Amino acid sequence: DIRESKKGQIMIPGLVDVEVRNISQVFEVLAAGAKARSIAATDMNEYSSRSHTIFQLQLCQCLEDNNGTNIIKQGKLSFVDLAGSEKWKSHQLSKFTSERIRELTSINKSLSTLGKCIA
């Protein structure tokens, strides 16, 4: 679960920060992340994401201009796959296991904190 500490820090269990130097390494990290995704069949989707995935690519380029001055260019791209959040009504509770209800509650709760992680 994504949590916020008392000091306002975002805590993400399983977060991995990897430095890469080329596109091949980027794809290796993406493949490892894809293997760690949690998916399950739902009423709406056979392969529904059951966990959030955030892939942030921070780019840094160091250049030297014509005067010999170092110029640093930075950028950040965020790719987000949100876990599916199904709407359900109290009369459907008998259809879901207690594990599924906990999962849905956890997904909805973490969605409200997720925006702070991407900023």
Side-chain angles (χ1 to χ4, degrees):
D1 288 17
I2 299 171
R3 298 189 187 338
E4 187 172 357
S5 72
K6 292 179 181 178
K7 295 182 179 181
Q9 297 171 316
I10 302 301
M11 312 299 285
I12 306 173
L15 178 69
V16 177
D17 188 3
V18 180
E19 183 175 324
V20 294
R21 300 245 173 223
N22 58 53
I23 193 70
S24 175
Q25 291 175 342
V26 170
F27 285 122
E28 287 175 18
V29 172
L30 278 173
K35 286 181 184 176
R37 282 182 65 223
S38 176
I39 58 171
T42 66
D43 289 343
M44 299 293 289
N45 185 351
E46 186 177 353
Y47 300 103
S48 179
S49 294
R50 307 318 299 157
S51 59
H52 304 311
T53 302
I54 303 171
F55 180 79
Q56 283 189 330
L57 184 60
Q58 295 181 347
L59 305 169
C60 182
Q61 183 179 27
C62 300
L63 305 170
E64 190 174 298
D65 69 9
N66 294 336
N67 299 323
T69 304
N70 289 331
I71 299 172
I72 298 174
K73 293 183 178 183
Q74 295 182 354
K76 179 168 59 170
L77 297 171
S78 296
F79 302 93
V80 180
D81 176 24
L82 299 178
S85 177
E86 301 166 25
K87 290 185 178 181
W88 48 283
K89 298 180 180 162
S90 57
H91 72 276
Q92 294 174 305
L93 289 177
S94 62
K95 178 174 136 177
F96 296 125
T97 64
S98 60
E99 181 181 338
R100 176 68 120 208
I101 292 170
R102 281 192 304 276
E103 176 187 71
L104 291 171
T105 303
S106 177
I107 288 170
N108 288 335
K109 183 178 177 185
S110 64
L111 282 171
S112 64
T113 308
L114 187 60
K116 295 178 182 178
C117 302
I118 300 170

